[in-house]
mmCIF file of all heavy atoms in Angstrom:
data_model
loop_
_atom_site.group_PDB
_atom_site.id
_atom_site.type_symbol
_atom_site.label_atom_id
_atom_site.label_comp_id
_atom_site.label_asym_id
_atom_site.label_seq_id
_atom_site.Cartn_x
_atom_site.Cartn_y
_atom_site.Cartn_z
ATOM 1 N N VAL A 3 0.820 -1.217 0.000
ATOM 2 C CA VAL A 3 0.000 0.000 0.000
ATOM 3 C C VAL A 3 0.848 1.260 0.000
ATOM 4 O O VAL A 3 0.362 2.337 -0.361
ATOM 5 C CB VAL A 3 -0.974 0.016 1.195
ATOM 6 C CG1 VAL A 3 -1.910 -1.174 1.146
ATOM 7 C CG2 VAL A 3 -0.233 0.073 2.528
ATOM 8 N N ASP A 4 2.121 1.150 0.400
ATOM 9 C CA ASP A 4 3.006 2.311 0.344
ATOM 10 C C ASP A 4 3.308 2.690 -1.099
ATOM 11 O O ASP A 4 3.566 3.854 -1.404
ATOM 12 C CB ASP A 4 4.321 2.020 1.078
ATOM 13 C CG ASP A 4 4.096 1.534 2.499
ATOM 14 O OD1 ASP A 4 3.113 1.970 3.119
ATOM 15 O OD2 ASP A 4 4.892 0.701 2.977
ATOM 16 N N LYS A 5 3.250 1.695 -1.987
ATOM 17 C CA LYS A 5 3.585 1.928 -3.391
ATOM 18 C C LYS A 5 2.341 2.024 -4.279
ATOM 19 O O LYS A 5 2.366 2.710 -5.306
ATOM 20 C CB LYS A 5 4.489 0.795 -3.900
ATOM 21 C CG LYS A 5 5.815 0.697 -3.146
ATOM 22 C CD LYS A 5 6.624 -0.508 -3.609
ATOM 23 C CE LYS A 5 7.940 -0.608 -2.847
ATOM 24 N NZ LYS A 5 8.731 -1.818 -3.254
ATOM 25 N N GLU A 6 1.281 1.318 -3.913
ATOM 26 C CA GLU A 6 0.084 1.295 -4.749
ATOM 27 C C GLU A 6 -1.148 1.351 -3.848
ATOM 28 O O GLU A 6 -1.817 0.347 -3.599
ATOM 29 C CB GLU A 6 0.072 0.022 -5.607
ATOM 30 C CG GLU A 6 -0.864 0.064 -6.794
ATOM 31 C CD GLU A 6 -0.516 1.151 -7.799
ATOM 32 O OE1 GLU A 6 0.389 0.942 -8.628
ATOM 33 O OE2 GLU A 6 -1.151 2.226 -7.730
ATOM 34 N N PRO A 7 -1.481 2.527 -3.321
ATOM 35 C CA PRO A 7 -2.545 2.623 -2.305
ATOM 36 C C PRO A 7 -3.937 2.298 -2.805
ATOM 37 O O PRO A 7 -4.823 2.011 -1.991
ATOM 38 C CB PRO A 7 -2.451 4.084 -1.841
ATOM 39 C CG PRO A 7 -1.783 4.815 -2.956
ATOM 40 C CD PRO A 7 -0.824 3.833 -3.560
ATOM 41 N N ASN A 8 -4.193 2.319 -4.107
ATOM 42 C CA ASN A 8 -5.541 2.051 -4.613
ATOM 43 C C ASN A 8 -5.806 0.589 -4.934
ATOM 44 O O ASN A 8 -6.955 0.213 -5.175
ATOM 45 C CB ASN A 8 -5.804 2.879 -5.878
ATOM 46 C CG ASN A 8 -6.139 4.322 -5.561
ATOM 47 O OD1 ASN A 8 -6.400 4.685 -4.415
ATOM 48 N ND2 ASN A 8 -6.120 5.161 -6.581
ATOM 49 N N GLU A 9 -4.769 -0.243 -4.964
ATOM 50 C CA GLU A 9 -4.969 -1.640 -5.355
ATOM 51 C C GLU A 9 -5.968 -2.347 -4.433
ATOM 52 O O GLU A 9 -6.770 -3.175 -4.881
ATOM 53 C CB GLU A 9 -3.643 -2.401 -5.366
ATOM 54 C CG GLU A 9 -3.736 -3.837 -5.862
ATOM 55 C CD GLU A 9 -3.975 -3.950 -7.368
ATOM 56 O OE1 GLU A 9 -3.787 -2.936 -8.085
ATOM 57 O OE2 GLU A 9 -4.344 -5.048 -7.826
ATOM 58 N N ALA A 10 -5.947 -2.011 -3.152
ATOM 59 C CA ALA A 10 -6.854 -2.669 -2.206
ATOM 60 C C ALA A 10 -8.317 -2.387 -2.515
ATOM 61 O O ALA A 10 -9.194 -3.191 -2.174
ATOM 62 C CB ALA A 10 -6.533 -2.226 -0.786
ATOM 63 N N ASN A 11 -8.600 -1.266 -3.164
ATOM 64 C CA ASN A 11 -9.983 -0.932 -3.511
ATOM 65 C C ASN A 11 -10.516 -1.787 -4.657
ATOM 66 O O ASN A 11 -11.713 -1.743 -4.953
ATOM 67 C CB ASN A 11 -10.087 0.544 -3.905
ATOM 68 C CG ASN A 11 -9.696 1.475 -2.776
ATOM 69 O OD1 ASN A 11 -9.929 1.175 -1.605
ATOM 70 N ND2 ASN A 11 -9.084 2.598 -3.117
ATOM 71 N N ARG A 12 -9.653 -2.559 -5.269
ATOM 72 C CA ARG A 12 -10.033 -3.390 -6.414
ATOM 73 C C ARG A 12 -10.404 -4.812 -5.983
ATOM 74 O O ARG A 12 -10.677 -5.678 -6.817
ATOM 75 C CB ARG A 12 -8.887 -3.395 -7.419
ATOM 76 C CG ARG A 12 -8.646 -2.011 -8.033
ATOM 77 C CD ARG A 12 -7.175 -1.754 -8.363
ATOM 78 N NE ARG A 12 -6.641 -2.577 -9.419
ATOM 79 C CZ ARG A 12 -6.717 -2.301 -10.724
ATOM 80 N NH1 ARG A 12 -7.333 -1.196 -11.138
ATOM 81 N NH2 ARG A 12 -6.169 -3.090 -11.622
ATOM 82 N N PHE A 13 -10.441 -5.024 -4.667
ATOM 83 C CA PHE A 13 -10.812 -6.323 -4.103
ATOM 84 C C PHE A 13 -11.885 -6.109 -3.030
ATOM 85 O O PHE A 13 -12.041 -5.027 -2.495
ATOM 86 C CB PHE A 13 -9.584 -7.025 -3.518
ATOM 87 C CG PHE A 13 -8.571 -7.397 -4.571
ATOM 88 C CD1 PHE A 13 -7.605 -6.488 -4.976
ATOM 89 C CD2 PHE A 13 -8.605 -8.639 -5.179
ATOM 90 C CE1 PHE A 13 -6.683 -6.806 -5.961
ATOM 91 C CE2 PHE A 13 -7.686 -8.977 -6.167
ATOM 92 C CZ PHE A 13 -6.728 -8.061 -6.558
ATOM 93 N N GLY A 14 -12.612 -7.187 -2.732
ATOM 94 C CA GLY A 14 -13.747 -7.103 -1.821
ATOM 95 C C GLY A 14 -15.066 -7.054 -2.570
ATOM 96 O O GLY A 14 -16.083 -6.633 -2.025
ATOM 97 N N TRP A 15 -15.069 -7.539 -3.821
ATOM 98 C CA TRP A 15 -16.245 -7.480 -4.675
ATOM 99 C C TRP A 15 -16.792 -8.886 -4.937
ATOM 100 O O TRP A 15 -16.164 -9.885 -4.580
ATOM 101 C CB TRP A 15 -15.900 -6.815 -6.007
ATOM 102 C CG TRP A 15 -15.275 -5.459 -5.882
ATOM 103 C CD1 TRP A 15 -13.947 -5.144 -6.017
ATOM 104 C CD2 TRP A 15 -15.940 -4.222 -5.589
ATOM 105 N NE1 TRP A 15 -13.754 -3.793 -5.839
ATOM 106 C CE2 TRP A 15 -14.961 -3.195 -5.574
ATOM 107 C CE3 TRP A 15 -17.276 -3.875 -5.351
ATOM 108 C CZ2 TRP A 15 -15.270 -1.865 -5.324
ATOM 109 C CZ3 TRP A 15 -17.584 -2.547 -5.104
ATOM 110 C CH2 TRP A 15 -16.597 -1.556 -5.087
ATOM 111 N N VAL A 16 -17.931 -8.946 -5.586
ATOM 112 C CA VAL A 16 -18.480 -10.201 -6.106
ATOM 113 C C VAL A 16 -18.061 -10.322 -7.566
ATOM 114 O O VAL A 16 -18.210 -9.375 -8.348
ATOM 115 C CB VAL A 16 -20.008 -10.234 -5.981
ATOM 116 C CG1 VAL A 16 -20.593 -11.421 -6.757
ATOM 117 C CG2 VAL A 16 -20.417 -10.317 -4.512
ATOM 118 N N VAL A 17 -17.529 -11.499 -7.934
ATOM 119 C CA VAL A 17 -17.013 -11.742 -9.278
ATOM 120 C C VAL A 17 -17.911 -12.748 -9.990
ATOM 121 O O VAL A 17 -18.211 -13.811 -9.439
ATOM 122 C CB VAL A 17 -15.572 -12.286 -9.228
ATOM 123 C CG1 VAL A 17 -15.009 -12.440 -10.637
ATOM 124 C CG2 VAL A 17 -14.679 -11.386 -8.380
ATOM 125 N N GLU A 18 -18.331 -12.426 -11.214
ATOM 126 C CA GLU A 18 -19.145 -13.341 -12.014
ATOM 127 C C GLU A 18 -18.286 -14.003 -13.087
ATOM 128 O O GLU A 18 -17.553 -13.316 -13.806
ATOM 129 C CB GLU A 18 -20.318 -12.613 -12.666
ATOM 130 C CG GLU A 18 -21.251 -13.546 -13.432
ATOM 131 C CD GLU A 18 -22.519 -12.874 -13.932
ATOM 132 O OE1 GLU A 18 -22.613 -11.630 -13.836
ATOM 133 O OE2 GLU A 18 -23.421 -13.597 -14.410
ATOM 134 N N ILE A 19 -18.380 -15.330 -13.186
ATOM 135 C CA ILE A 19 -17.577 -16.127 -14.107
ATOM 136 C C ILE A 19 -18.506 -16.979 -14.956
ATOM 137 O O ILE A 19 -19.427 -17.620 -14.436
ATOM 138 C CB ILE A 19 -16.602 -17.037 -13.327
ATOM 139 C CG1 ILE A 19 -15.660 -16.198 -12.444
ATOM 140 C CG2 ILE A 19 -15.800 -17.926 -14.279
ATOM 141 C CD1 ILE A 19 -14.900 -17.019 -11.415
ATOM 142 N N ASP A 20 -18.252 -17.011 -16.252
ATOM 143 C CA ASP A 20 -18.981 -17.919 -17.142
ATOM 144 C C ASP A 20 -18.220 -19.240 -17.194
ATOM 145 O O ASP A 20 -17.174 -19.344 -17.844
ATOM 146 C CB ASP A 20 -19.096 -17.318 -18.540
ATOM 147 C CG ASP A 20 -19.934 -18.182 -19.477
ATOM 148 O OD1 ASP A 20 -20.312 -19.304 -19.084
ATOM 149 O OD2 ASP A 20 -20.205 -17.731 -20.610
ATOM 150 N N PRO A 21 -18.721 -20.284 -16.526
ATOM 151 C CA PRO A 21 -17.964 -21.545 -16.460
ATOM 152 C C PRO A 21 -17.931 -22.299 -17.781
ATOM 153 O O PRO A 21 -17.105 -23.200 -17.953
ATOM 154 C CB PRO A 21 -18.713 -22.344 -15.388
ATOM 155 C CG PRO A 21 -20.116 -21.844 -15.464
ATOM 156 C CD PRO A 21 -20.004 -20.382 -15.804
ATOM 157 N N PHE A 22 -18.807 -21.932 -18.715
ATOM 158 C CA PHE A 22 -18.885 -22.644 -19.994
ATOM 159 C C PHE A 22 -17.983 -22.032 -21.065
ATOM 160 O O PHE A 22 -17.917 -22.558 -22.179
ATOM 161 C CB PHE A 22 -20.334 -22.676 -20.476
ATOM 162 C CG PHE A 22 -21.234 -23.479 -19.580
ATOM 163 C CD1 PHE A 22 -22.040 -22.844 -18.640
ATOM 164 C CD2 PHE A 22 -21.264 -24.859 -19.650
ATOM 165 C CE1 PHE A 22 -22.868 -23.576 -17.801
ATOM 166 C CE2 PHE A 22 -22.085 -25.598 -18.814
ATOM 167 C CZ PHE A 22 -22.887 -24.955 -17.880
ATOM 168 N N ASP A 23 -17.291 -20.951 -20.737
ATOM 169 C CA ASP A 23 -16.402 -20.294 -21.696
ATOM 170 C C ASP A 23 -15.061 -20.010 -21.025
ATOM 171 O O ASP A 23 -14.887 -18.981 -20.375
ATOM 172 C CB ASP A 23 -17.031 -18.998 -22.202
ATOM 173 C CG ASP A 23 -16.169 -18.310 -23.259
ATOM 174 O OD1 ASP A 23 -15.094 -18.847 -23.600
ATOM 175 O OD2 ASP A 23 -16.567 -17.221 -23.728
ATOM 176 N N PRO A 24 -14.099 -20.918 -21.162
ATOM 177 C CA PRO A 24 -12.798 -20.735 -20.502
ATOM 178 C C PRO A 24 -12.033 -19.499 -20.967
ATOM 179 O O PRO A 24 -11.095 -19.073 -20.294
ATOM 180 C CB PRO A 24 -12.042 -22.018 -20.871
ATOM 181 C CG PRO A 24 -13.079 -23.010 -21.222
ATOM 182 C CD PRO A 24 -14.187 -22.220 -21.846
ATOM 183 N N SER A 25 -12.428 -18.917 -22.092
ATOM 184 C CA SER A 25 -11.746 -17.714 -22.572
ATOM 185 C C SER A 25 -12.429 -16.435 -22.103
ATOM 186 O O SER A 25 -11.951 -15.333 -22.379
ATOM 187 C CB SER A 25 -11.692 -17.712 -24.104
ATOM 188 O OG SER A 25 -12.995 -17.611 -24.654
ATOM 189 N N SER A 26 -13.537 -16.558 -21.388
ATOM 190 C CA SER A 26 -14.295 -15.377 -20.972
ATOM 191 C C SER A 26 -13.551 -14.608 -19.878
ATOM 192 O O SER A 26 -12.735 -15.167 -19.134
ATOM 193 C CB SER A 26 -15.674 -15.781 -20.465
ATOM 194 O OG SER A 26 -15.564 -16.611 -19.319
ATOM 195 N N THR A 27 -13.848 -13.317 -19.779
ATOM 196 C CA THR A 27 -13.242 -12.443 -18.775
ATOM 197 C C THR A 27 -14.175 -12.323 -17.578
ATOM 198 O O THR A 27 -15.306 -11.825 -17.722
ATOM 199 C CB THR A 27 -12.980 -11.045 -19.357
ATOM 200 O OG1 THR A 27 -12.087 -11.162 -20.471
ATOM 201 C CG2 THR A 27 -12.372 -10.121 -18.309
ATOM 202 N N PRO A 28 -13.764 -12.764 -16.397
ATOM 203 C CA PRO A 28 -14.605 -12.577 -15.208
ATOM 204 C C PRO A 28 -14.860 -11.096 -14.942
ATOM 205 O O PRO A 28 -14.044 -10.235 -15.281
ATOM 206 C CB PRO A 28 -13.775 -13.210 -14.088
ATOM 207 C CG PRO A 28 -12.869 -14.185 -14.791
ATOM 208 C CD PRO A 28 -12.540 -13.526 -16.101
ATOM 209 N N VAL A 29 -16.006 -10.809 -14.318
ATOM 210 C CA VAL A 29 -16.418 -9.427 -14.082
ATOM 211 C C VAL A 29 -16.614 -9.189 -12.592
ATOM 212 O O VAL A 29 -17.330 -9.946 -11.918
ATOM 213 C CB VAL A 29 -17.726 -9.110 -14.827
ATOM 214 C CG1 VAL A 29 -18.146 -7.658 -14.586
ATOM 215 C CG2 VAL A 29 -17.574 -9.376 -16.324
ATOM 216 N N LYS A 30 -15.984 -8.135 -12.082
ATOM 217 C CA LYS A 30 -16.219 -7.697 -10.709
ATOM 218 C C LYS A 30 -17.369 -6.686 -10.733
ATOM 219 O O LYS A 30 -17.266 -5.625 -11.339
ATOM 220 C CB LYS A 30 -14.958 -7.088 -10.103
ATOM 221 C CG LYS A 30 -13.804 -8.074 -10.014
ATOM 222 C CD LYS A 30 -12.731 -7.638 -9.038
ATOM 223 C CE LYS A 30 -11.630 -8.685 -8.929
ATOM 224 N NZ LYS A 30 -10.691 -8.439 -7.815
ATOM 225 N N HIS A 31 -18.468 -7.051 -10.058
ATOM 226 C CA HIS A 31 -19.677 -6.232 -10.072
ATOM 227 C C HIS A 31 -19.655 -5.254 -8.893
ATOM 228 O O HIS A 31 -19.967 -5.626 -7.753
ATOM 229 C CB HIS A 31 -20.916 -7.115 -9.982
ATOM 230 C CG HIS A 31 -21.179 -7.928 -11.209
ATOM 231 N ND1 HIS A 31 -21.362 -7.370 -12.459
ATOM 232 C CD2 HIS A 31 -21.302 -9.272 -11.387
ATOM 233 C CE1 HIS A 31 -21.592 -8.322 -13.349
ATOM 234 N NE2 HIS A 31 -21.548 -9.493 -12.727
ATOM 235 N N THR A 32 -19.325 -4.011 -9.161
ATOM 236 C CA THR A 32 -19.222 -3.034 -8.072
ATOM 237 C C THR A 32 -20.583 -2.628 -7.522
ATOM 238 O O THR A 32 -20.663 -2.101 -6.409
ATOM 239 C CB THR A 32 -18.453 -1.787 -8.522
ATOM 240 O OG1 THR A 32 -19.219 -1.068 -9.500
ATOM 241 C CG2 THR A 32 -17.098 -2.151 -9.104
ATOM 242 N N ALA A 33 -21.659 -2.873 -8.269
ATOM 243 C CA ALA A 33 -22.992 -2.506 -7.785
ATOM 244 C C ALA A 33 -23.378 -3.283 -6.537
ATOM 245 O O ALA A 33 -24.278 -2.865 -5.792
ATOM 246 C CB ALA A 33 -24.028 -2.724 -8.883
ATOM 247 N N LEU A 34 -22.712 -4.431 -6.281
ATOM 248 C CA LEU A 34 -23.024 -5.241 -5.103
ATOM 249 C C LEU A 34 -22.236 -4.830 -3.867
ATOM 250 O O LEU A 34 -22.370 -5.452 -2.815
ATOM 251 C CB LEU A 34 -22.783 -6.732 -5.397
ATOM 252 C CG LEU A 34 -23.941 -7.457 -6.097
ATOM 253 C CD1 LEU A 34 -24.103 -7.004 -7.540
ATOM 254 C CD2 LEU A 34 -23.746 -8.974 -6.053
ATOM 255 N N GLY A 35 -21.422 -3.781 -3.989
ATOM 256 C CA GLY A 35 -20.740 -3.241 -2.825
ATOM 257 C C GLY A 35 -19.440 -3.930 -2.498
ATOM 258 O O GLY A 35 -19.205 -5.080 -2.880
ATOM 259 N N ARG A 36 -18.596 -3.209 -1.782
ATOM 260 C CA ARG A 36 -17.275 -3.706 -1.379
ATOM 261 C C ARG A 36 -17.242 -3.915 0.127
ATOM 262 O O ARG A 36 -17.369 -2.979 0.912
ATOM 263 C CB ARG A 36 -16.198 -2.704 -1.805
ATOM 264 C CG ARG A 36 -14.786 -3.022 -1.321
ATOM 265 C CD ARG A 36 -13.798 -2.025 -1.920
ATOM 266 N NE ARG A 36 -12.508 -2.029 -1.258
ATOM 267 C CZ ARG A 36 -12.154 -1.213 -0.263
ATOM 268 N NH1 ARG A 36 -13.021 -0.314 0.191
ATOM 269 N NH2 ARG A 36 -10.956 -1.284 0.276
ATOM 270 N N PHE A 37 -17.103 -5.165 0.499
ATOM 271 C CA PHE A 37 -16.941 -5.537 1.908
ATOM 272 C C PHE A 37 -16.456 -6.978 1.938
ATOM 273 O O PHE A 37 -16.132 -7.545 0.887
ATOM 274 C CB PHE A 37 -18.243 -5.340 2.703
ATOM 275 C CG PHE A 37 -19.487 -5.926 2.087
ATOM 276 C CD1 PHE A 37 -19.881 -7.232 2.329
ATOM 277 C CD2 PHE A 37 -20.299 -5.145 1.270
ATOM 278 C CE1 PHE A 37 -21.030 -7.766 1.767
ATOM 279 C CE2 PHE A 37 -21.468 -5.656 0.706
ATOM 280 C CZ PHE A 37 -21.828 -6.972 0.955
ATOM 281 N N ALA A 38 -16.361 -7.571 3.106
ATOM 282 C CA ALA A 38 -15.878 -8.951 3.228
ATOM 283 C C ALA A 38 -17.022 -9.909 2.919
ATOM 284 O O ALA A 38 -17.609 -10.534 3.803
ATOM 285 C CB ALA A 38 -15.313 -9.197 4.624
ATOM 286 N N HIS A 39 -17.325 -10.036 1.615
ATOM 287 C CA HIS A 39 -18.440 -10.880 1.182
ATOM 288 C C HIS A 39 -18.195 -12.327 1.585
ATOM 289 O O HIS A 39 -17.250 -12.954 1.117
ATOM 290 C CB HIS A 39 -18.578 -10.834 -0.341
ATOM 291 C CG HIS A 39 -19.108 -9.552 -0.886
ATOM 292 N ND1 HIS A 39 -20.452 -9.320 -1.077
ATOM 293 C CD2 HIS A 39 -18.477 -8.431 -1.297
ATOM 294 C CE1 HIS A 39 -20.618 -8.118 -1.586
ATOM 295 N NE2 HIS A 39 -19.442 -7.551 -1.728
ATOM 296 N N GLU A 40 -19.054 -12.862 2.436
ATOM 297 C CA GLU A 40 -19.016 -14.291 2.699
ATOM 298 C C GLU A 40 -19.558 -15.046 1.491
ATOM 299 O O GLU A 40 -18.952 -15.981 0.993
ATOM 300 C CB GLU A 40 -19.848 -14.637 3.932
ATOM 301 C CG GLU A 40 -20.082 -16.125 4.147
ATOM 302 C CD GLU A 40 -18.838 -16.903 4.527
ATOM 303 O OE1 GLU A 40 -17.875 -16.283 4.998
ATOM 304 O OE2 GLU A 40 -18.828 -18.138 4.358
#
């Protein structure tokens, strides 16, 4: 965080993955909020 203070804001999201397309790009959905999602 001393070198890249914003990187932590890019985690804590819900990620959607298409399991039927191994070449697909997973998506982090920020509309679901950032917290310690169980």
